[in-house]
Amino acid sequence: MPHGTRINGTSYGITGGKCLVNGTAYGIKKGRTLVSGTGYDITFGTALGSYAEGDIVKINENGSPVEFYVVKHNYESGLNEDGGTLVLRVDCHSKQRWSSIDNRWAASMILEWLNNTYKSMLDSNIQNIISLTKYYYTIGGGSDSITTRADYVFLLSGHELGKTYYGLGKEGSTVPNPQKYHIAKLYGLNVEQWTRSPNTAYGDKYTGIYLKNNGGVAEQGTFSQLGARPAFVLPSSTLVGADDVIK
């Protein structure tokens, strides 16, 4: 993927170690640079929005790069002003319990873990630009009503992952090529992974929908510890370096 230089929000191609600005070559470095006597803020990279859906970028967790899929541009643009780009961890981070009480997503232990413990593992610059994102979710706790809430980090729903199952609500829209995300690993092995969808069949209050380690779908008690696979939205203008790491 070609990389370029962003000058005051406009991307310019780089050739021969110099930057062409309106046909004139300027020697520049990252930081504050004078061009024709005017100071510009210079950053290098490719906008996240230029990556194809399904591509992989890297985001630092505790200072080490981890792979994330570029899942969907303009995620839930009807709820969020300019959409942004949804990214999903390629593999699960760890095993987490949904809840020790019931299957209400808004009160779940895993949602709290995602937005506190997990979010704090990301580099500070990433924490500062993650979008507070509105999305659809099923209330749970015996209710199959679908409403909206906003979080920084969340799980994808069963419907977003292209799954159907009795007791699974249609929360949001199915992402492009959902089968690409049906299997995730933990410590090198395929692992069962939670979705954010409670199972509401027959007024169920205590099970959630998960993806099996073979990509199938089923329900499991919320006290179970299954794979947690964080997803969040970044501005499409976020720059990705030549090593595919967002810095």
Side-chain angles (χ1 to χ4, degrees):
M1 178 171 292
H3 289 264
T5 299
R6 188 173 293 274
I7 301 178
N8 283 5
T10 302
S11 182
Y12 296 91
I14 297 177
T15 60
K18 292 188 177 182
C19 180
L20 289 175
V21 181
N22 294 333
T24 301
Y26 296 91
I28 63 172
K29 297 185 297 182
K30 182 178 180 180
R32 192 73 174 169
T33 299
L34 287 175
V35 178
S36 297
T38 302
Y40 294 91
D41 291 320
I42 308 298
T43 55
F44 294 95
T46 298
L48 183 60
S50 298
Y51 280 72
E53 292 169 337
D55 281 353
I56 291 176
V57 296
K58 297 175 184 178
I59 298 172
N60 284 338
E61 292 176 0
N62 293 324
S64 298
V66 174
E67 291 185 333
F68 281 75
Y69 285 115
V70 176
V71 176
K72 181 74 171 69
H73 295 303
N74 296 315
Y75 178 71
E76 295 295 3
S77 57
L79 298 177
N80 301 285
E81 186 172 343
D82 55 3
T85 296
L86 173 69
V87 297
L88 172 70
R89 208 176 191 274
V90 169
D91 292 323
C92 291
H93 174 276
S94 55
K95 288 187 177 182
Q96 298 293 325
R97 179 175 294 163
W98 175 299
S99 176
S100 60
I101 304 174
D102 59 23
N103 62 8
R104 290 173 296 155
W105 170 249
S108 66
M109 295 169 64
I110 196 169
L111 181 59
E112 181 180 4
W113 177 84
L114 288 165
N115 284 275
N116 291 281
T117 303
Y118 174 75
K119 184 171 177 279
S120 69
M121 299 177 192
L122 301 172
D123 282 359
S124 59
N125 64 307
I126 300 298
Q127 293 185 49
N128 291 336
I129 63 173
I130 288 180
S131 302
L132 183 61
T133 302
K134 293 180 181 178
Y135 59 90
Y136 294 97
Y137 79 103
T138 299
I139 292 175
S143 172
D144 62 1
S145 296
I146 295 176
T147 185
T148 61
R149 63 173 287 117
D151 290 296
Y152 289 102
V153 191
F154 47 93
L155 302 180
L156 297 189
S157 71
H159 183 67
E160 286 178 324
L161 288 164
K163 294 298 186 180
T164 57
Y165 191 79
Y166 190 70
L168 171 62
K170 293 185 177 180
E171 306 149 296
S173 302
T174 300
V175 301
N177 301 311
Q179 67 280 356
K180 189 178 183 74
Y181 316 114
H182 286 173
I183 293 178
K185 295 181 182 295
L186 182 63
Y187 307 125
L189 299 174
N190 290 7
V191 67
E192 299 167 338
Q193 55 176 306
W194 282 122
T195 72
R196 70 169 181 266
S197 305
N199 176 28
T200 62
Y202 309 110
D204 187 289
K205 297 181 180 180
Y206 303 107
T207 63
I209 302 296
Y210 77 98
L211 269 59
K212 300 178 181 180
N213 58 14
N214 63 2
V217 62
E219 81 272 4
Q220 181 70 282
T222 55
F223 55 85
S224 300
Q225 292 192 357
L226 304 182
R229 198 177 183 189
F232 48 88
V233 172
L234 295 173
S236 298
S237 59
T238 302
L239 291 178
V240 184
D243 54 1
D244 291 322
V245 178
I246 297 176
K247 299 177 180 178

